[in-house]
Amino acid sequence: MREDTHLRGGGEVAPENACPIAPVVDIVFSRWTTPILWALHEYGRQRFVELERRIASITPKVLTQRLRALERDGLVVRSYYAEVPPRVEYEISDLGRSLAPLFAALAEWSVNLDEVERARQGYDARKQVRA
């Protein structure tokens, strides 16, 4: 049994572990994961510097950390070429590509962002009136 699905004393699953998509969200929606996967899916195999240019607001340290995590999770493939100078390229794996329908569904849902913004503005206006 995975550590995060252990049952509590009474045989029930802890509420934070009951949602079956929580582990997926943890993997796929960690900060910077979606921009990296999108760039690799959209533009294909890339070197580190190319990815860094495409995702301008990410630091080299964070990009390195995220690429290692994505490689560990099997979503990205790292290829090392023993040349002078050495060359390293990254590409989205088949497992990473299998997320395409999920991302497409989220892109479709993005038409609702204007409604979300209106809801936020209405909420904030109500909060100001109460204060």
Side-chain angles (χ1 to χ4, degrees), residues 29-117:
F29 297 109
S30 297
R31 184 166 169 97
W32 299 114
T33 296
T34 49
I36 292 168
L37 291 177
W38 180 84
L40 291 173
H41 186 269
E42 188 72 16
Y43 298 104
R45 181 186 299 237
Q46 296 173 63
R47 296 178 77 166
F48 184 91
V49 174
E50 294 171 304
L51 274 170
E52 192 177 22
R53 282 188 203 125
R54 291 195 196 283
I55 310 169
S57 54
I58 195 169
T59 65
K61 178 183 176 184
V62 171
L63 180 57
T64 298
Q65 291 170 340
R66 292 308 313 144
L67 285 168
R68 285 181 184 157
L70 291 168
E71 181 183 8
R72 181 174 182 257
D73 290 340
L75 301 176
V76 167
V77 175
R78 179 183 183 268
S79 299
Y80 175 82
Y81 301 93
E83 303 171 343
V84 179
R87 180 170 50 107
V88 176
E89 294 179 336
Y90 298 90
E91 65 183 311
I92 193 168
S93 69
D94 289 339
L95 182 59
R97 259 187 228 88
S98 72
L99 293 167
L102 171 65
F103 291 142
L106 291 170
E108 285 179 28
W109 190 88
S110 70
V111 300
N112 295 300
L113 290 175
D114 288 340
E115 188 174 337
V116 169
E117 184 56 32

